[in-house]
Amino acid sequence: GDHATLERRVEQLLATGGRRGRSRDAIPQLYALILERWENDFDRDRPELVWDAMALIACARRGVAESELLELLGDASGPLPRAFWSPLRLAAGEALSEHAGLLTFAHDYVRQAVAERYLGVGDHEQWAHAELARYFAARPRTSTRVLEELPWQLVKARGWEQLYEVLADPRFTDALAASRDYELTGYWLELDGLATEPAVRA
């Protein structure tokens, strides 16, 4: 890093131990500093890359495939170039893990730091769920990834009209019932609960 600020940086990192020396609190604080460092290093070419990537990984139900994440982070011209993503992925190292081809956080300390730094700010958590819902809504509705992510993301994004539309599609409901019937019932109960809520007075 920058040798001119090395001493101050070391003091900042050591301070995460806290005066009380509680390691349970210190580790998420340390990861918060790491996230800040990633922002300084990797947000220059693609603004808010770290913020968006970490929020999307955090809000995915099962995790996200790298190809899915690159498409989510891209724009109208196409997926995010790997030249932007690969340095961040390498820097993240063991903070991210991959299971069955899906990226997720390796442990709760990282998830907690991401939640506190990104998801609690404004409507960014709602944005992440809405982006994931939009992405999976554009995929074949009977695919495994769509079945496990789309309705769940719509509930989290409070996209009730779109959830009703999805559940009204016989192809989708037949496929979901065949693999996870209890989830299909749960989603209908979500909508039924909205229909039976008493009107709120202004």
Side-chain angles (χ1 to χ4, degrees):
D2 182 358
H3 288 282
T5 61
L6 179 59
E7 184 176 350
R8 178 171 59 83
R9 187 63 173 171
V10 170
E11 291 175 353
Q12 186 182 27
L13 292 171
L14 291 174
T16 61
R19 294 187 178 89
R20 293 172 295 175
R22 295 179 60 188
S23 60
R24 183 177 298 178
D25 297 329
I27 296 176
Q29 291 170 13
L30 179 61
Y31 271 109
L33 294 176
I34 292 171
L35 291 170
E36 181 183 354
R37 171 63 186 268
W38 292 349
E39 292 167 14
N40 293 332
D41 288 348
F42 306 119
D43 280 2
R44 288 175 297 217
D45 295 323
R46 197 285 194 181
E48 297 189 343
L49 171 62
V50 178
W51 183 309
D52 291 345
M54 296 300 115
L56 288 166
I57 293 171
C59 289
R61 183 183 186 187
R62 307 293 188 196
V64 289
E66 189 171 74
S67 59
E68 294 171 347
L69 186 61
L70 293 177
E71 291 180 357
L72 283 157
L73 294 171
D75 53 29
S77 64
L80 179 75
R82 287 188 178 274
F84 293 165
W85 164 249
S86 294
L88 173 56
R89 177 67 184 96
L90 289 172
E94 294 183 1
L96 294 178
S97 64
E98 187 171 344
H99 299 286
L102 301 178
L103 286 172
T104 188
F105 297 120
H107 45 74
D108 285 339
Y109 292 124
V110 186
R111 187 176 298 277
Q112 181 181 339
V114 166
E116 291 178 356
R117 187 168 183 83
Y118 303 131
L119 301 186
V121 178
D123 60 353
H124 210 71
E125 182 174 2
Q126 188 84 357
W127 167 86
H129 286 300
E131 281 296 293
L132 287 160
R134 178 193 59 78
Y135 176 83
F136 286 109
R139 270 62 194 166
R141 286 193 172 175
T142 56
S143 71
T144 300
R145 291 290 290 140
V146 172
L147 292 171
E148 65 187 7
E149 288 283 351
L150 178 56
W152 192 85
Q153 295 296 342
L154 288 171
V155 170
K156 294 295 183 180
R158 304 184 69 80
W160 306 122
E161 290 185 10
Q162 191 176 359
L163 177 61
Y164 178 83
E165 177 189 341
V166 168
L167 296 181
D169 182 346
R171 296 171 304 160
F172 182 87
T173 53
D174 288 348
L176 187 60
S179 58
R180 39 178 69 87
D181 186 54
Y182 62 96
E183 289 187 8
L184 177 59
T185 302
Y187 295 134
W188 276 117
L189 288 174
E190 288 276 359
L191 292 175
D192 185 59
L194 289 173
T196 57
E197 282 183 0
V200 178
R201 295 182 180 180

